[in-house]
Amino acid sequence: MSEPVIAQKSPYGVDVEAGQEYWWCACGKSESQPFCDGSHKGTGIPPQKYSATETAKVWFCGCKNTADTPVCDGTHSKL
């Protein structure tokens, strides 16, 4: 598998906490979207670490095609 699965065609709004690390699912197969649950094994698409620098809402990409990984850049509106 070289192309990610589109988990949804909209971002996931998640409240993150400063100083915490989050592992964004890049393959689209996780049942715990937008975060990794290990489903990427064998896909060749590893998760990406996101380190929160502030407590805030972050819009994580759901279509897995953003150029600004792991946050949404609006690419889903073109799919």
Side-chain angles (χ1 to χ4, degrees):
M1 176 180 178
S2 59
E3 294 294 319
V5 173
I6 296 172
Q8 71 177 25
K9 289 186 178 180
S10 60
Y12 293 92
V14 178
D15 294 318
V16 299
E17 293 184 36
Q20 296 294 310
E21 292 180 348
Y22 301 85
W23 288 92
W24 175 72
C25 168
C27 74
K29 296 182 82 175
S30 175
E31 294 292 324
S32 301
Q33 291 294 332
F35 302 116
C36 178
D37 68 0
S39 296
H40 65 278
K41 292 179 179 144
T43 67
I45 305 174
Q48 181 176 348
K49 182 170 77 169
Y50 176 84
S51 298
T53 56
E54 63 182 348
T55 298
K57 182 171 290 253
V58 174
W59 295 92
F60 289 96
C61 176
C63 75
K64 311 304 176 182
N65 287 283
T66 183
D68 192 19
T69 58
V71 296
C72 177
D73 70 356
T75 298
H76 63 273
S77 64
K78 300 172 189 156
L79 298 176

